[in-house]
Amino acid sequence: MINRSGRFARRAVKVDQALDKIMQHAKRLDDEIVSIDSCIYRRIAKPVYARESMPHFRRSGMDGYAVLSEDAACATPQEPVCLKIIDEVPAGSVSARQVVPGTAIRLMTGAAVPDGADAVVMFEQTEEFQADGQDCVRIKHRTVHGQNITAIGEEIAEGQLLMGAGTRIGPGQVALLASSGYSQIAVIRRPKVGILTTGSELLAPGDPLLPGKVRNSNVFMLAAQIEQYGGAAVRYGTVPDEIEEVDRMIRAALEECDMVLVSGGVSVGDYDVMAEFFTATNGSGLELLFNKIAMRPGSPTTAAAVKDKLVFGLSGNPGACFIGFELLVRPALLAMQGAENPFPSRLRAAMAHDFDKGCPHERYIRGRLSYDANQKLSVCALKQNNSSMLVSIQDANCLIVVPSGSTGAASGQQVDVIPLPYETATYGEEGDVR
Ligand code: AMP
Ligand code: MG
């Protein structure tokens, strides 16, 4: 029997209010230690400090000769200075000899500059010769104190902050951790996010198409979004539109996961079981955060906290599901991983065309951001932007925030734009616009 109570009695909150409520329950997860081999794209649990200076010895920046700059301060090609070569140092070795007036030590890029020397002259400015069986070198350019030597700590001073808590480990960070001697690193646990799809009409991609049925795309899209923002997606399959089954699966997912996303069934239709799930507040441990948002698409998007774990009811419509995740789930997921700023940055861009669909609420549409001929940011609304459509998601590199009002947004009007993660190689190409 379908319970329709409470379904229509919804009070819309603004997107910011919805986010405030969500963020109160998006608690940072605990730490775990991982090896440097498997730390990329994880987030640092505690600030990381330099245990050593970098470089930790005076390092030669060139293949050349370590000399006393005073010896060759006035050297020229016409009047070179001749020095005796007393040793040779490859990278990784240290000379036992000291450079004294009249001498030079041959060394390679990255080698430790021997004591006494205060300059390195590159090979191109020298000429080797032999005198009385002794290897010598002519220095043919004026030499100054410190030249071609990287001082101790010039790049990093011992004790310096390398990266703050919450930093995502990308190529630059992992290189820095490795060179600073961190073979293991404390990172924040990846949020496990359960995905449940509802809908008796759903088929798997491998199933033959049947009348009235559609293939389940949301589970794959949501899993990709979760992984993109550092979470670990756990799939709980599809449940038919039956409250007992939906309730049982959500509870099971909550046992194992840090957050649960459910697609479909949040609207006001007869079989919208999620609406029912979210209204069953008695003794369920469920705190409803909101069940309507003043936005398009995805206004029935709902969220609840169950023992401080978030459950989201996202629209089944693929476009709305995608946007609901980007606006509401993404910040929670990032906060759980300790990101310093879990909210997406917003840019301002000029509308490239009219978007004349007015709406009493803010509308979020898939768009394509690029530079126009005057190097100004310009944004196009993509075609096939309806909430039920998914084809344009792959071309979207941003969400356009169309202000509420009867007119939409006119060509040339400055609008807020939320960039989406996107392959930079194709960023800025003309899309299939409008
Ligand atoms: P609902 O939110 O359950 O009312 O579903 C809205 C629309 O989205 C319907 O046309 C559904 O068939 C479709 N839909 C629901 N779930 C999915 C899904 N997992 N993948 C693709 N489309 C879906
Ligand atoms: Mg449904």
Side-chain angles (χ1 to χ4, degrees), residues 83-418:
L83 303 172
K84 272 193 215 166
I85 303 172
I86 58 167
D87 201 6
E88 188 174 315
V89 201
S93 302
V94 178
S95 176
R97 304 287 303 271
Q98 178 154 4
V99 176
V100 295
T103 67
I105 290 179
R106 187 179 163 89
L107 80 183
M108 302 304 139
T109 302
V113 176
D115 289 346
D118 72 334
V120 171
V121 185
M122 58 175 158
F123 284 151
E124 293 83 339
Q125 298 176 348
T126 67
E127 190 176 86
E128 285 157 30
F129 66 101
Q130 285 222 322
D132 304 328
Q134 163 72 51
D135 288 330
C136 297
V137 62
R138 284 190 193 93
I139 309 292
K140 300 193 294 185
H141 275 267
R142 61 185 285 270
T143 302
V144 296
H145 174 76
Q147 88 180 28
N148 297 325
I149 296 177
T150 308
I152 291 172
E154 189 173 314
E155 188 173 351
I156 295 166
E158 186 184 332
Q160 182 185 322
L161 177 69
L162 296 179
M163 56 198 86
T167 304
R168 186 167 184 253
I169 304 176
Q173 287 78 15
V174 75
L176 191 51
L177 291 169
S179 68
S180 305
Y182 287 92
S183 60
Q184 294 193 313
I185 187 85
V187 295
I188 298 158
R189 195 163 62 70
R190 287 179 76 185
K192 269 174 95 175
V193 184
I195 310 171
L196 190 65
T197 40
T198 69
S200 302
E201 73 279 31
L202 297 181
L203 298 175
D207 292 341
L209 211 49
L210 294 170
K213 305 276 186 190
V214 296
R215 296 205 180 92
N216 183 354
S217 54
N218 289 350
V219 63
F220 301 99
M221 179 179 71
L222 288 171
Q225 287 177 290
I226 291 164
E227 301 275 335
Q228 200 163 36
Y229 293 113
V234 186
R235 298 167 200 206
Y236 288 90
T238 297
V239 281
D241 298 309
E242 291 162 18
I243 183 65
E244 292 76 19
E245 190 62 359
V246 166
D247 192 276
R248 195 180 64 75
M249 285 303 285
I250 294 175
R251 306 267 168 205
L254 277 168
E255 289 293 311
E256 296 167 348
C257 297
D258 302 299
M259 184 198 277
V260 175
L261 308 183
V262 186
S263 117
V266 280
S267 208
V268 293
D270 283 350
Y271 296 95
D272 284 336
V273 285
M274 283 305 289
E276 202 172 329
F277 170 83
F278 283 117
T279 51
T281 43
N282 283 347
S284 62
L286 181 145
E287 180 196 345
L288 183 69
L289 303 180
F290 53 84
N291 60 5
K292 190 169 183 175
I293 307 183
M295 68 173 199
R296 288 276 160 76
S299 62
T301 303
T302 300
V306 182
K307 294 199 211 100
D308 236 30
K309 290 184 182 178
L310 288 161
V311 180
F312 287 88
L314 299 169
S315 169
N317 279 314
C321 184
F322 176 82
I323 288 167
F325 182 104
E326 291 296 327
L327 291 182
L328 304 168
V329 183
R330 172 193 195 261
L333 209 47
L334 294 182
M336 289 163 81
Q337 296 167 79
E340 201 182 346
N341 181 9
F343 300 105
S345 56
R346 287 191 175 205
L347 304 173
R348 296 282 285 172
M351 291 293 287
H353 307 276
D354 287 337
F355 182 85
D356 49 20
K357 258 208 255 179
C359 176
H361 307 305
E362 248 175 5
R363 187 191 287 277
Y364 295 82
I365 54 175
R366 286 153 265 172
R368 209 151 164 94
L369 189 64
S370 60
Y371 286 105
D372 67 12
N374 301 315
Q375 299 303 310
K376 294 262 185 332
L377 276 179
S378 158
V379 70
C380 282
L382 288 159
K383 284 183 192 167
Q384 274 100 16
N385 225 308
N386 279 353
S387 67
S388 61
M389 296 178 171
L390 59 79
V391 66
S392 58
I393 297 173
Q394 66 159 341
D395 295 321
N397 64 6
C398 69
L399 297 179
I400 305 172
V401 187
V402 180
S404 57
S406 56
T407 50
S411 176
Q413 184 177 331
Q414 290 284 323
V415 288
D416 271 10
V417 160
I418 302 170

